[in-house]
Amino acid sequence: MVDNSTVMESGRCMECGAAGIDGFSCYELFGFPLVWEHNDPKLYDLHFWLVSCYMIQHPSNYTEEGYRQLVRLFMDAYDHDWDTAYILKRNRELMKNVDKLTNPLPNKERKRKPAFWSMTIEDIYLGGEQQAIANIRRWKKQIRNELG
């Protein structure tokens, strides 16, 4: 199993800059909206965006090639307003050409570059389940803008 735990320093995620809240790490905060999705089909419709936003902000979990493909898929899906079924189809096609998606190095040995994104999983958690749909939509827009 892949270890996607985050490294928190001084209460912040080393990769995305999210603050640890209520005793939860960045990775643990990510688990909350994954649970909320099961309560609301409209929120579940945003699953790709939730997961890809989080993944983009944690590149140490992926190989360089896998990360490039993820960013490419995200940008194409956003720019062309693809529906979920098409995004998943394109993802399957792209992943056929990726030798290895996840970083094979043990978590503690991975190189991390601190980055401070304008919006992170912290914002999704703080907005709570009631604001999750609006916040995930905002998050994907912010990430797209920051990717250039």
Side-chain angles (χ1 to χ4, degrees), residues 98-121:
V98 174
D99 185 42
K100 180 105 174 105
L101 175 64
T102 58
N103 189 339
L105 289 174
N107 193 312
K108 294 192 185 300
E109 294 177 24
R110 296 176 189 164
K111 293 181 182 169
R112 290 173 170 80
K113 291 182 187 176
F116 293 92
W117 296 81
S118 64
M119 189 171 184
T120 67
I121 194 64

Side-chain angles (χ1 to χ4, degrees), residues 125-142:
Y125 175 82
L126 287 173
E129 190 170 357
Q130 303 306 320
Q131 296 299 313
I133 291 173
N135 285 338
I136 291 169
R137 287 180 177 147
R138 225 176 78 231
W139 195 17
K140 77 177 186 176
K141 182 178 180 182
Q142 286 297 117

